[in-house]
Amino acid sequence: MFHTWSPIYSHFDITMRFNTISSRLLLFVALVVSWIPAVAQVSIHGKVSDMDNQPLEFVTVRIAGTAIGTNTGLDGSYRLSAPQTDTLTVVFTCIGYEELRRQLIKPKGDMALTVRMKTKDHALSEIEVTDFRKQTGQMQTINKDSYKLAADATGGSVESMLTTIAGVNSSNEMSSQYSVRGGTYDENSVYINGVEVYRPQLVSSGQQEGLSVINPDMVGAIGFSTGGFGVEYGDKMSSALDISYREPESFEGSLSLSLMGGSLTIGQSKGKFSQLHGIRYKRNASLLSSLESKGEYDPNFFDYQTNMVFKFNKKWKVSFLGNISVNNYKFVPVSRETNFGTSSDAKSFKVYFDGGEKDRFETYFGALNLQYQPSRSTSFNLLASGYLTNELVAYDISGEYWLDRAGTTGEGNPDNAIGGELGVGRYHEHARNRLKISVFGLGLSGHTSINNHNLSYGINFNHQTIMERTREWELRDSAGYTLPTDGQNIRMIYNLTSNHDVSTNRMAFYVADSYRLNSSAGYFAFNGGIRFSYWDFNKEFLVSPRLNVAFIPERNNSLTFRFATGLYYQQPFYKEFRRPEEDGYGNTVISLNNEIKSQQALHFILGGDYTFRAMGRPFKLSGEAYYKKLNRLIPYEIDNLKIVYEGVNLTDGYTMGLDLKLFGQFVPGTDSWISFSLMKTGENLNGVTVPRPTDQRYSFALYFTDYFPKFPKLKFSLRGIFSDGLPTTAPHSTRDKGYFRAPAYKRLDVGLNYALLSPLKEDDAPSGLHKWFKSIWIGVDVFNLLDISNVSSYYWVTDVNNIQYAVPNYLTRRQFNIRLTVDF
């Protein structure tokens, strides 16, 4: 991948170049001349296009020998003024195009100058990476090829790569869910081709989750923001992930097979029609077998996606995005043995199971988009989408457990050592949870470019229907007594029911303007907008203003400064407004709170980039300091991936931190980065200030790829994460009553790939196998190279004296995987 400067950042010949005395003198003369009011002015305007008469944006237009210049807009138009002289030379420059000069003899008044520019012809081997494209907004662009061939327990997902970016955290390698700057997993919006997509709601562990909603083999572009994003992205408080699926230009395909499953992607383009289809199948039973709960794992995850585009002409086109996902998870547990504690207080927990679990998550999604582009500067999109999820979680699992001092298990302690046995008992967990959610959406959006302004606007309508039938209970006894015990009745330690049907409507409207300004001080980029939202369930009307400013100084254009602020809301989805209420008999009944309010976050973000060269290679150091004031929070607790909300706006809080990232090509042709984050959160819960459940105080991540110099067919990849543990509480409790932190999450995944058929160079003619295949790779992955036992959650054992013991549920251990990847 080759990174270059965007042409909007090119600067004029004489401005701010202080290397010699003559340049200073020339600048002084130009400034003096510009302030002489008596000199007549010449106005020059026109359009710049390529040889196919397509408008060119970001072309630098300047007057030779002066500091006067501007950039073309989206429609290729420009306008500038200059002092009247005998001869003016107008210079047009744009990366990828030959420089063009036009002389105007005795210009006066208002003159039109329209030109066409020729592209440069470069051999690929002559191109050298000199710099990175500047980021002037809060949406950062991520190379879609970065995760290709990387070692990843989820199968090469986009989300797994995101967790190595500063400010993004995940402590479960089996899940594609992530937390951004102290937010929950539900605070991240995901868009594919401009359509917001949803994840299953009842998933409570990484074993159940299956495949990511994003097919990585179909991705064409990735945009990601960790905060301060624009008004076109919906009502979520933490982040926005914008995915665009590619449109094939000819027949293409890719095939991937591994011990955990496989995928096949086929694309084709002919005339006005292009299509891209992707099928994925995952069966990670071998990975799950490394968990401490032994038994029969039977996961089957299937996903089909398609992206089809038909272009009627240059102005009209229609596209369809479709997805069918069926995830089945079956598990029949047999036994489990966990050793935990410290060297001076080691414990052993052993369980024999009976029963099983059967879960099914079905998702059906479709979106039809009609695009009309009357001109280069204006486009409109009419979008209709439908989403349906049908989820079922059913389990009946009973077990007999022993909790002992290490080395003195209850069933194998012939000496009956005093103090060896800490607890013995039985439990039975039952669930029959059914959830159906349908979302129908209709939206109209548009973009209009006027000179240096780029307007965007849109209106959306969503109709949501939700059906929930939930029944969960847990029976637990210790030493022959059911818990909680009153000496007379048999009671459940936990019993929950929910039976609801709800239908709601949401509406939103937004308008934004992006404005670019070149000045003698440097380049400015402004983006401001406002978003209006309404939800008829709680009759709430929201106003969300947002602003982003970027500055690139002319004196040192290796620096970029950014500032963003805005008022963001988290409109409740279904889980947030479910309120648990006790009925006085130890039972919990879920009610729907129609007085719930959207959570609120006020963002302040100050950041910047510094580009430099080291070892002959380009690098970029990025940093952002942020503060989020949080109001009207809905308290929640996390158990593995399950988020349990209070269903009431009870608290307020804050999140603050610092994110740093060093990005570069440590070796030519491969992208790598190192990120480091510091964060502090606080929440006023029942009068006690406690950290939020996603409070990871520090995080270090490494994403590294390398080619072996003497063996160019060998490629090495490394993904490492070291992050703080999360605050943890006992079940059905809250942090104000007490909490502790889980151990730090530490994981290192490595991969080694060998090219059986290397990709062709740009100018090489295909021959032999290359007539049919682009590349063939075979690879070996080692997941959790250091074989570290990371904790996902805790199982709590309660004895008859109501003393609770937290038994860690460990994640996957070291595993090996073999992959074959074929591109054709």
Side-chain angles (χ1 to χ4, degrees), residues 348-495:
S348 176
F349 179 67
K350 191 164 188 177
V351 188
Y352 290 102
F353 297 105
D354 188 21
E357 178 177 359
K358 293 182 180 181
D359 306 330
R360 185 176 179 88
F361 304 92
E362 299 177 355
T363 300
Y364 305 93
F365 171 77
L368 188 66
N369 184 25
L370 179 64
Q371 184 182 59
Y372 173 57
Q373 189 172 2
S375 66
R376 176 76 174 179
S377 60
T378 302
S379 66
F380 301 98
N381 288 275
L382 179 62
L383 179 66
S385 63
Y387 167 84
L388 173 66
T389 180
N390 187 4
E391 306 177 28
L392 173 65
V393 173
Y395 56 81
D396 271 293
I397 299 177
S398 61
E400 297 184 359
Y401 64 84
W402 292 264
L403 179 63
D404 305 270
R405 303 290 182 188
T408 58
T409 60
E411 60 170 4
N413 184 13
D415 297 330
N416 194 22
I418 298 176
E421 184 178 281
L422 296 176
V424 58
R426 297 179 176 86
Y427 72 90
H428 188 166
E429 294 179 340
H430 167 92
R432 294 293 185 271
N433 300 337
R434 185 72 177 266
L435 180 66
K436 285 186 178 181
I437 299 178
S438 63
V439 180
F440 171 75
L442 187 64
L444 177 65
S445 61
H447 297 272
T448 301
S449 178
I450 304 174
N451 295 327
N452 287 337
H453 294 271
N454 188 8
L455 301 175
S456 59
Y457 38 86
I459 184 170
N460 301 295
F461 170 80
N462 275 340
H463 176 72
Q464 301 171 351
T465 302
I466 302 172
M467 184 277 289
E468 182 201 20
R469 303 290 184 267
T470 296
R471 175 67 169 164
E472 297 178 356
W473 54 260
E474 180 182 354
L475 177 66
R476 189 181 301 178
D477 74 67
S478 177
Y481 292 91
T482 59
L483 300 176
T485 180
D486 59 8
Q488 297 178 350
N489 302 308
I490 297 177
R491 299 177 59 185
M492 304 290 181
I493 195 170
Y494 169 66
N495 187 16

Side-chain angles (χ1 to χ4, degrees), residues 97-116:
Y97 293 85
E98 296 180 359
E99 181 180 282
L100 188 65
R101 289 174 175 258
R102 290 288 185 268
Q103 278 193 344
L104 302 179
I105 307 298
K106 295 183 178 180
K108 61 181 179 179
D110 192 5
M111 303 191 64
L113 179 59
T114 297
V115 299
R116 292 195 298 175

